[in-house]
Amino acid sequence: MTERYAVADVNALDEDGSRVITEIDGQEIAVFRHRGEYYALANYCIHQAGPLCEGALSGGMTTGEDGWDWVYDDEERYVVCPWHGWMFDIETGKSPKDERYGVPTYDVEIEDGTIYAVR
């Protein structure tokens, strides 16, 4: 059974890169605004349980078309854990370095100007 939890008013996340951290049933989550959309993930780094979502947003490195050259993707969609630098995509929860690693994500719904996390 899924439940919906009110997180914040949409005005609290008025620009891309903004975030709000809240607690739902003993679990801290963060909702980020990115490219006008909202994404939620656990505020918990799987490396050593650090406060992941308190870290900076950053771009990431990808391989070029030839598969060899590294290209910096400056789209700030990766949250970087402030403890040890592990990074995760705020849209998918996956590590850009190894997709076997990830943090839980939550669906987000907007209704009447309120942001809801759904789990």
Side-chain angles (χ1 to χ4, degrees), residues 40-56:
L41 64 155
N43 184 26
Y44 178 86
C45 183
I46 61 170
H47 175 233
Q48 288 189 342
L52 173 64
C53 298
E54 293 177 17

Side-chain angles (χ1 to χ4, degrees), residues 50-99:
L52 173 64
C53 298
E54 293 177 17
L57 290 177
S58 175
M61 298 297 290
T62 59
T63 55
E65 291 181 17
D66 63 3
W68 290 97
D69 294 326
W70 286 97
V71 177
Y72 181 70
D73 171 9
D74 65 354
E75 183 178 358
E76 294 184 332
R77 72 172 203 229
Y78 300 102
V79 62
V80 181
C81 181
W83 283 10
H84 300 107
W86 282 44
M87 61 191 321
F88 298 90
D89 188 318
I90 62 172
E91 294 181 22
T92 66
K94 300 290 184 189
S95 167
K97 297 186 189 272
D98 189 335
E99 290 197 358

